[in-house]
Amino acid sequence: MCGIIGISSNKPVSGNIINSLKKLEYRGYDSAGIATLFEGEIKEVKSEGRVDSLEQNFDLKNLKGNIGIGHVRWATHGVPNSVNAHPHSSHNVSVVHNGIIENSTILKKYLISKGHNFKSQTDTEVIVHLITENLKTSELEIAITKTLEQLHGSFALGIVFKEMPDLIVGARRGSPLAVGYGPNENYLGSDSYALKAMTNKITYLEDGEFCLIKKNQVLFFNEDGKKINKKILELSSDEANYEKGDFKHFMAKEIEEQPVTIKTGIKEYIDRTNSDINIYNFPWKISEINSITLIGCGTAYHSCLMSKYWFEELTQLDVSIDIASEFRYRKNRFKKDTLYIFVSQSGETADTYAALDLCNKNNMKTCAVVNVIESSIARDANFILPIHCGPEIGVASTKAFLGQILILYILVLKLGSLRNEITKEIYQEKIKDLQSLPSLIEKSLLIDNDIQAISSTFNDAKGSMFLGRGFSYPIALEGALKLKELSYVHAEGYPAGEMKHGPLALIEDGMPVVVLAPRDSYYKKTISNMQEVIARGAKVLLITNKSKDEIFSENIWETIEVENTNDDLLPFLLTIPLQKLAYYSALKKGYDIDKPRNLAKSVTVE
Ligand code: M6R
């Protein structure tokens, strides 16, 4: 969380810092700030709220200086206000920080005893004073190494110094950080997205490393303070993906892009000529894998759950799933014959990365299903399966979810076939069925009018429920997450068969309940559960697939029918109305759809 930008140049930097901060707002938007160095002084501007407020509150054209750092914050320590906004500065050092300093209380006591005064409630301010303190007795590189050693927790840092007017120091432990190279200027950024408008030449810092950035030179150091060489990567340019085009919101654009997401995934992974799946070069023998553990957070966790149903249906593999923040702190029995799969859009989610790191440290087999291929998770897994859905900017994950479940489904088919658990005929039939998925999604997207009308009922309700069984259960969880995240309506996802064991007590007259009941092997059971909630007054929105067969149930409030396909692929189609329901609910309420309150796109703190 939080976004960092730093520029050392031969011309004024505030304009480019502002532009980069606007791009970084998806990482945090509680407050924003900039510090530049000009005529031997640190000039600092900070404001509560978005980058727009910073622009309104200060005359940024007059913020001079050829070097500067900027930050957008997602609050962890201290309320979101202008005092707690970054940068934080002492008389000679200014710092922007992403992450959490776990020993900040102890360090603060020590620094106060040394005469330092604190202005904010943040953990970041201890870094400022610690560097200031260490610079009293040590040269720059030693002072940096010493400071980093004293900090516990996670960080990405950008630091400027009053006495060194062309230098930015960057340092990383846990939170991602990249360096970019431009003509007569160099950059520091919390991700490549922040830097893309200025350069496509990037170097990523690894954990423990720090760097010294001047306008014509960048030096890298390892955690012992020894100079190291690092590779420069060239990023592909996909600027158009970062624009909304004719859409009102990125989320709307990303929902509509889903047929392309699926088409691209199929193109990347399916060999149509041979009706085969192009996943080769596994770094392990397939015969060495007997079980699978899938790990992720939020929507990515729902993708893991979805794939568990497919793995169990189509293979003999033992499958378990885990929420990354739980996995990393449990006593895990690591097993050599388990493949650990990490699912993440950003590839930077702190808990998912920590779980991967733990598996790597225990020499486990690791695989990443990620969207951002330059990300930490992608770089550190043994094997990577990219989602290829292009940048997802809206905080609510939509096309990345369909991208993740597509790649996981393809992996299920491949492993099932390699293990001879799926016959050649079924394998090829399922590959063939996949080809029609993009056009089915396209048709299922044409429901805006129906969903718009329905969404008001959800907005006016105290709470709502999303029910499904089998393949539809993970989708029910995802639908509920989307609604609460975007329209701040209480929404619970439940296995339809669980209702009688407690949650049925919540059903009262007029409560909106979404029932996912496609005509698969669970259909009849789900319809019975639906009747039970209708009998208790629920207003049921039934989402099913098209069929000639009549639905034998009375008093259904509304029905939406998606296209028809095989049972495995129905979850893709059922997802669409739920994404649109959340979108239109938030739109009606006038909420900030791409940046819902309290959330950030990339959760790089635990
Ligand atoms: O980048 P990741 O896929 O690792 O992110 C995981 C979750 O933070 C993310 O899916 C979150 O739940 C979304 N905002 C949901 O829409």
Side-chain angles (χ1 to χ4, degrees):
M1 249 56 143
C2 305
I4 289 176
I5 178 74
I7 307 178
S8 176
S9 179
N10 61 357
K11 55 180 197 275
V13 292
S14 62
N16 276 342
I17 290 185
I18 285 286
N19 292 339
S20 305
L21 288 182
K22 284 184 177 162
K23 297 210 161 207
L24 281 171
E25 265 194 332
Y26 78 99
R27 297 179 68 101
Y29 32 87
D30 291 340
S31 59
I34 302 176
T36 59
L37 294 181
F38 185 63
E39 293 182 337
E41 291 299 327
I42 297 173
K43 308 273 174 200
E44 196 187 85
V45 291
K46 312 202 283 192
S47 187
E48 187 181 335
R50 308 221 161 160
V51 181
D52 282 350
S53 319
L54 189 69
E55 279 183 305
Q56 279 153 21
N57 293 341
F58 297 95
D59 179 9
L60 295 176
K61 279 192 210 91
N62 280 331
L63 183 65
K64 297 200 172 111
N66 293 355
I67 181 164
I69 49 178
H71 190 265
V72 282
R73 178 169 185 248
W74 184 83
T76 56
H77 284 59
V79 294
N81 61 21
S82 60
V83 177
N84 290 333
H86 299 211
H88 291 281
S89 309
S90 65
H91 67 283
N92 62 345
V93 174
S94 187
V95 173
V96 284
H97 168 218
N98 182 9
I100 294 179
I101 304 304
E102 287 166 357
N103 57 340
S104 62
T105 316
I106 301 169
L107 289 172
K108 194 168 176 178
K109 257 193 199 154
Y110 158 73
L111 289 161
I112 288 172
S113 76
K114 292 275 180 187
H116 293 263
N117 292 318
F118 284 78
K119 292 176 255 181
S120 75
Q121 302 161 306
T122 65
D123 51 343
T124 305
E125 212 181 339
V126 299
I127 308 171
V128 179
H129 293 286
L130 203 56
I131 300 172
T132 305
E133 186 62 28
N134 287 332
L135 277 172
K136 286 182 190 162
T137 52
S138 311
E139 292 297 310
L140 178 79
E141 283 139 53
I142 304 197
I144 298 292
T145 319
K146 207 164 149 186
T147 304
L148 301 183
E149 269 169 18
Q150 288 170 294
L151 299 175
H152 296 175
S154 66
F155 51 77
L157 300 174
I159 314 164
V160 289
F161 307 83
K162 184 172 147 184
E163 321 279 306
M164 292 167 252
D166 61 343
L167 176 74
I168 302 175
V169 170
R172 170 187 175 169
R173 190 196 296 152
S175 302
L177 201 58
V179 168
Y181 307 85
N184 297 318
E185 55 184 28
N186 290 313
Y187 320 101
L188 181 73
S190 44
D191 59 28
S192 59
Y193 179 46
L195 306 179
K196 266 200 165 153
M198 299 179 287
T199 183
N200 67 340
K201 293 192 174 56
I202 303 279
T203 299
Y204 291 97
L205 268 80
E206 298 297 331
D207 270 350
E209 293 176 353
F210 68 93
C211 61
L212 307 187
I213 302 172
K214 295 185 176 182
K215 61 179 181 288
N216 292 320
Q217 184 191 46
V218 182
L219 299 174
F220 293 96
F221 299 83
N222 68 13
E223 56 195 327
D224 303 323
K226 285 211 183 85
K227 227 189 251 177
I228 50 169
N229 292 322
K230 289 187 68 78
K231 267 198 210 144
I232 298 179
L233 309 172
E234 232 167 88
L235 303 179
S236 56
S237 122
D238 49 0
E239 266 309 301
N241 284 327
Y242 292 102
E243 307 299 334
K244 278 201 288 261
D246 292 336
F247 290 93
K248 230 175 166 174
H249 300 99
F250 277 107
M251 185 186 177
K253 176 175 177 250
E254 287 156 7
I255 290 174
E256 299 300 326
E257 277 172 354
Q258 292 178 114
V260 178
T261 302
I262 299 299
K263 231 183 245 168
T264 313
I266 291 173
K267 233 174 39 207
E268 290 286 337
Y269 288 96
I270 306 280
D271 170 354
R272 284 179 75 166
T273 324
N274 299 309
S275 290
D276 200 356
I277 289 169
N278 286 326
I279 306 181
Y280 303 109
N281 306 328
F282 290 106
W284 340 271
K285 284 196 189 118
I286 296 302
S287 57
E288 288 171 0
I289 299 168
N290 287 319
S291 61
I292 306 270
T293 296
L294 295 118
I295 297 163
C297 301
T299 289
Y301 171 75
H302 296 155
S303 301
C304 298
L305 178 60
M306 188 65 246
S307 75
K308 179 179 160 74
Y309 281 88
W310 286 324
F311 269 116
E312 288 176 350
E313 182 75 21
L314 297 165
T315 77
Q316 300 294 316
L317 286 155
D318 281 338
V319 186
S320 60
I321 54 166
D322 229 314
I323 290 178
S325 53
E326 289 297 312
F327 177 86
R328 62 183 290 195
Y329 291 116
R330 254 209 334 268
K331 271 197 183 159
N332 288 297
R333 314 274 180 272
F334 288 106
K335 288 192 279 161
K336 282 274 167 225
D337 66 350
T338 299
L339 170 62
Y340 291 85
I341 301 178
F342 299 85
V343 183
S344 173
Q345 187 285 129
S346 62
E348 300 294 355
T349 300
D351 285 317
T352 312
Y353 180 77
L356 165 67
D357 196 41
L358 192 64
C359 290
N360 281 342
K361 286 190 174 128
N362 283 279
N363 296 318
M364 292 296 108
K365 301 173 180 69
T366 58
C367 168
V369 174
V370 286
N371 192 29
V372 182
I373 49 176
E374 305 94 8
S375 63
S376 308
I377 292 176
R379 279 180 288 133
D380 285 2
N382 302 158
F383 189 63
I384 143 165
L385 295 170
I387 300 162
H388 295 298
C389 73
E392 189 181 64
I393 311 295
V395 165
S397 196
T398 51
K399 64 175 180 175
F401 177 65
L402 282 209
Q404 286 160 2
I405 63 173
L406 175 74
I407 306 315
L408 288 167
Y409 180 65
I410 289 174
L411 180 66
V412 170
L413 295 182
K414 185 72 185 180
L415 291 181
S417 146
L418 290 173
R419 290 164 52 86
N420 296 321
E421 289 160 354
I422 300 180
T423 63
K424 195 168 175 203
E425 293 68 44
I426 293 185
Y427 179 64
Q428 297 198 331
E429 196 183 301
K430 294 208 181 270
I431 289 177
K432 195 166 152 240
D433 283 353
L434 264 176
Q435 310 290 344
S436 58
L437 192 54
S439 69
L440 295 175
I441 293 176
E442 222 161 277
K443 286 184 196 145
S444 301
L445 281 164
L446 305 171
I447 43 158
D448 294 65
N449 291 342
D450 298 343
I451 287 282
Q452 276 186 57
I454 289 167
S455 61
S456 314
T457 299
F458 284 81
N459 282 345
D460 299 339
K462 251 195 341 212
S464 59
M465 300 205 94
F466 289 67
L467 309 180
R469 275 175 177 258
F471 289 176
S472 304
Y473 166 50
I475 307 304
L477 291 182
E478 176 57 9
L481 178 63
K482 287 287 95 84
L483 189 70
K484 52 189 146 194
E485 160 171 57
L486 287 161
S487 65
Y488 320 149
V489 167
H490 186 80
E492 284 304 330
Y494 255 99
E498 259 301 282
M499 289 301 284
K500 287 190 207 64
H501 302 284
L504 204 54
L506 291 173
I507 304 292
E508 54 186 49
D509 225 23
M511 181 184 195
V513 175
V514 178
V515 176
L516 301 176
R519 289 136 207 276
D520 58 11
S521 54
Y522 301 89
Y523 177 64
K524 284 191 183 139
K525 301 258 174 238
T526 316
I527 293 293
S528 304
N529 298 134
M530 178 180 80
Q531 281 156 345
E532 286 157 10
V533 293
I534 291 177
R536 282 151 185 92
K539 259 179 123 171
V540 164
L541 164 61
L542 168 67
I543 303 183
T544 185
N545 53 330
K546 287 184 179 155
S547 162
K548 284 189 209 98
D549 300 336
E550 213 184 307
I551 300 158
F552 291 106
S553 178
E554 284 180 354
N555 300 325
I556 298 171
W557 167 52
E558 291 287 354
T559 302
I560 286 184
E561 290 182 329
V562 298
E563 296 301 308
N564 202 5
T565 178
N566 76 37
D567 289 5
D568 296 354
L569 301 184
L570 283 168
F572 289 88
L573 306 183
L574 296 177
T575 305
I576 308 289
L578 302 185
Q579 294 172 338
K580 292 213 172 197
L581 177 66
Y583 176 79
Y584 282 114
S585 300
L587 190 69
K588 280 216 174 113
K589 285 179 145 179
Y591 290 162
D592 192 339
I593 290 184
D594 287 332
K595 298 185 183 100
R597 73 178 178 205
N598 303 338
L599 301 178
K601 182 69 182 160
S602 177
V603 186
T604 53
V605 290
E606 67 168 300

